[in-house]
Amino acid sequence: MKKISLIHGPNLNLTGSREPGIYGRDTLAAINEEVVLKCAQYGWECVCFQSNSEGALIDRIHAAIDDCDGIIINAGAYTHYSYAIRDAIAATRLPCVEVHMSNVHAREEFRHHSTISAVCAGVIAGFGKNSYLLAVDAMKGILG
Ligand code: DQA
């Protein structure tokens, strides 16, 4: 059975109540549930993790190396400046899909750059919680 590591970065624990006009009203737990269900439809296991700490996110990315077949990550604001998370993703040599609920390119300029895109298979941004579900389909295209 294929296993996907779903990783959420800082402030995403507040999804549902944080800036709902941008990130929607679904809680992270509800989004995780939908992603887990969608993965199950493909016969995959999905394990979910959120942290506000860069080191914990890096440890979780490393943990996927011998345990998972792919990573779906919303690194939150770390996306825009964390070289350490970029290096961790590259080190796994696993397929990784970068996710953002908002359309980062339609927002402040600092959100236009991602340190991780170059080491990810692709990026899905702007579709709210559906960005995560689309990422599962993208992973299906990669893993088969
Ligand atoms: C985000 C976009 C980031 O710029 C922001 O810092 C987040 C969430 C998104 O899902 O749209 O925390 O990754």
Side-chain angles (χ1 to χ4, degrees):
M1 185 193 264
K2 293 211 166 32
K3 187 169 172 184
I4 305 302
S5 178
L6 172 61
I7 300 175
H8 307 277
N11 300 306
L12 291 164
N13 54 309
L14 299 181
T15 302
S17 57
R18 168 201 187 202
E19 301 185 83
I22 297 175
Y23 300 115
R25 293 203 177 271
D26 292 289
T27 64
L28 195 64
I31 293 170
N32 283 342
E33 204 175 305
E34 286 197 44
V35 175
V36 166
L37 264 176
K38 187 161 178 101
C39 283
Q41 283 164 9
Y42 288 136
W44 298 347
E45 183 184 356
C46 175
V47 286
C48 308
F49 178 81
Q50 187 277 331
S51 179
N52 295 320
S53 135
E54 189 177 23
L57 293 166
I58 291 166
D59 288 342
R60 185 69 176 194
I61 292 165
H62 291 173
I65 291 174
D66 289 321
D67 192 46
C68 294
D69 300 285
I71 296 172
I72 295 173
I73 186 166
N74 182 349
Y78 284 136
T79 304
H80 311 302
Y81 64 94
S82 174
Y83 298 113
I85 288 179
R86 174 203 164 106
D87 283 353
I89 292 169
T92 68
R93 300 166 76 180
L94 290 170
C96 182
V97 179
E98 175 184 347
V99 167
H100 302 286
M101 288 185 281
S102 65
N103 179 354
V104 283
H105 298 288
R107 300 181 64 194
E108 301 93 329
E109 194 155 349
F110 76 88
R111 298 186 204 275
H112 298 182
H113 178 70
S114 166
T115 63
I116 69 172
S117 296
V119 295
C120 289
V123 185
I124 298 172
F127 302 101
K129 72 171 182 187
N130 286 328
S131 290
Y132 289 103
L133 301 172
L134 290 164
V136 176
D137 281 332
M139 193 60 83
K140 176 70 179 160
I142 296 166
L143 298 178

